[in-house]
Amino acid sequence: MKKMVLWAVFALVIGLGAYIRLAPSDPAQWNVAPVAPVDQDLPGGVVRVVETGPDGLHRLDQIIRATPRTSILAGSVDAGMITYITRTKWIGFPDYTTVQQDGNTLRINSRLRFGRKDFGVNKARVDGWLEQM
């Protein structure tokens, strides 16, 4: 009986891990323009509004693309908005970061997909990118 329960738990963990890594990401749901007028630290993410000049998205895009385990979900520099997916190293939890150029202002919204709290991971990542600019 114990062996059967252990196998069931093992199968559940493997199934959950597979779902986290393989669940599709719908661009229509995640590639949405950030609308916050000011910086916000949220339980599941962060919003930043930064004056960068008209080339801010281009510069930040180069920094973000160099981030390990990060890919583009939708958008482009030419479109003026990009949504990136950055995954954790071990389990592959996805975080979504949308960056929009609005004149001389960059609006950034980075948020988790699974769970309620990201323990400051998105804030540290976004603030680190902005420091590199």
Side-chain angles (χ1 to χ4, degrees):
M1 181 68 170
K2 281 184 181 182
K3 202 172 196 180
M4 189 180 227
V5 170
L6 286 175
W7 278 110
V9 169
F10 178 73
L12 182 65
V13 169
I14 295 298
L16 183 60
Y19 177 75
I20 288 169
R21 283 199 177 266
L22 302 174
S25 297
D26 181 6
Q29 179 180 356
W30 297 102
N31 191 40
V32 178
V35 294
V38 296
D39 290 356
Q40 296 178 16
D41 294 341
L42 307 166
V46 66
V47 174
R48 293 290 180 256
V49 180
V50 185
E51 295 299 319
T52 61
D55 67 338
L57 180 57
H58 173 73
R59 291 185 290 136
L60 187 58
D61 176 61
Q62 293 175 333
I63 293 166
I64 293 173
R65 285 176 185 253
T67 303
R69 299 172 310 282
T70 299
S71 61
I72 293 176
L73 173 64
S76 67
V77 171
D78 291 338
M81 185 170 78
I82 306 173
T83 297
Y84 307 88
I85 302 173
T86 303
R87 293 186 175 273
T88 60
K89 187 173 185 177
W90 300 110
I91 297 177
F93 284 107
D95 290 329
Y96 297 85
T97 303
T98 302
V99 184
Q100 180 189 37
Q101 185 77 52
D102 182 13
N104 290 325
T105 304
L106 265 186
R107 298 187 191 287
I108 305 165
N109 181 13
S110 190
R111 63 259 187 225
L112 55 74
R113 175 172 180 174
F114 298 107
R116 292 185 213 139
K117 187 172 180 173
D118 74 346
F119 302 98
V121 170
N122 284 294
K123 177 181 179 179
R125 183 183 307 115
V126 170
D127 290 347
W129 289 336
L130 293 174
E131 286 175 15
Q132 291 180 53
M133 284 184 70

